[in-house]
Amino acid sequence: MDSDETLLNFELAEEKALRILFDHLAMNYDQVHEDYKRINSACWAAYEKGEMTQKELRIRRFSDFLSLHPHALSAETIAAYYENALSMQHDELPGALEAVRTISTSLPIAIVTNGIASIQRPRMESCSMRDYFSEIVISEEVGFSKPRPEMLLIALQKLGGIAPCNALMIGDSLTSDMRAAQNAGIDFLWYNPKGKARPEDAWIQYETDRISDFAKYALMNS
């Protein structure tokens, strides 16, 4: 199962962390945050395509940002400050706790996230859902990232060698979550709360706009 925007409210976490950062930099959040988000999205897209390493991404997004909004602090220093602020944010999406609690009574749950380990692990370890996760698999720690299939296959091995045909990947991203599931031969539940158009020939076995449906589909697919 994916974490951000599937179980955790990453948009809120990112906003909180950026407000802390820009306040520290004496920058106006409303004036600069769209530039950062555009640059950050481009960096993550490059990372998912294998065009940029995660180590490069962590600095590149802020070096590019500083080219538009210069500051005395270095990109490396700013990146470290931001990552620390983000690591402390673990707001959960409504219904997420109940969904994972219900699933965990019958099935093991592995979280698979492309996030940076020093950010994602503290967030996942400190959220109220932690006791219901059997495994937390982070791309930086295992050396593979979604949409590569290895990350999901590693998670299945950690869960005791579950076969892909007996697993279900739940996530919101078609470029990372869905493609990883397809590449691994695992059924995919697309969490689509914004009602986005479903692409033709997409690897989507189930679709919902409600987190409360996660348990139904997980148990149906087991």
Side-chain angles (χ1 to χ4, degrees):
M1 185 182 296
D2 181 44
S3 58
D4 286 327
E5 296 308 318
T6 300
L7 297 175
L8 294 181
N9 189 336
F10 183 77
E11 288 186 4
L12 179 58
E14 181 183 49
E15 179 180 341
K16 286 182 176 181
L18 287 175
R19 286 187 181 277
I20 292 170
L21 172 65
F22 293 142
D23 183 64
H24 179 67
L25 300 178
M27 293 182 180
N28 186 301
Y29 172 86
D30 293 329
Q31 293 176 356
V32 302
H33 81 280
E34 289 295 342
D35 286 335
Y36 168 79
K37 293 182 75 172
R38 173 175 50 79
I39 292 168
N40 183 55
S41 294
C43 286
W44 277 104
Y47 170 68
E48 289 180 0
K49 294 176 183 177
E51 300 171 353
M52 183 184 299
T53 67
Q54 198 168 80
K55 184 177 180 180
E56 291 170 335
L57 179 153
R58 296 167 75 167
I59 307 302
R60 177 68 176 275
R61 57 185 175 183
F62 288 107
S63 62
D64 286 358
F65 174 80
L66 289 176
S67 70
L68 299 178
H69 305 281
H71 195 278
L73 294 179
S74 68
E76 290 80 3
T77 300
I78 292 172
Y81 191 94
Y82 170 72
E83 290 178 14
N84 181 66
L86 185 57
S87 72
M88 295 185 287
Q89 314 302 324
H90 53 258
D91 299 270
E92 299 170 10
L93 291 171
L97 175 60
E98 181 178 354
V100 297
R101 181 191 291 130
T102 301
I103 295 171
S104 69
T105 60
S106 301
L107 301 168
I109 299 172
I111 296 299
V112 286
T113 174
N114 276 356
I116 296 164
S118 61
I119 295 174
Q120 292 298 78
R121 190 158 290 284
R123 295 179 68 225
M124 300 309 303
E125 294 289 353
S126 60
C127 73
S128 67
M129 297 177 284
R130 176 60 185 95
D131 289 344
Y132 304 107
F133 304 145
S134 297
E135 296 289 343
I136 298 174
V137 180
I138 302 174
S139 59
E140 186 180 24
E141 295 178 341
V142 299
F144 299 99
S145 61
K146 299 175 290 184
R148 291 279 296 273
E150 291 92 341
M151 194 171 180
L152 274 61
L153 297 176
I154 288 170
L156 294 183
Q157 286 301 312
K158 287 179 174 289
L159 293 179
I162 295 173
C165 62
N166 293 326
L168 177 68
M169 176 62 186
I170 303 174
D172 68 299
S173 171
L174 297 182
T175 57
S176 61
D177 299 324
M178 183 194 75
R179 292 304 176 200
Q182 182 176 18
N183 292 335
I186 297 172
D187 282 355
F188 180 62
L189 167 58
W190 184 26
Y191 175 48
N192 183 21
K194 296 181 180 179
K196 297 178 182 178
R198 181 171 178 157
E200 293 185 9
D201 301 322
W203 181 267
I204 299 172
Q205 284 69 42
Y206 312 104
E207 179 180 343
T208 185
D209 60 0
R210 300 183 300 179
I211 291 176
S212 59
D213 284 338
F214 288 2
K216 175 181 69 176
Y217 288 115
L219 297 174
M220 178 191 307
N221 200 73
S222 63

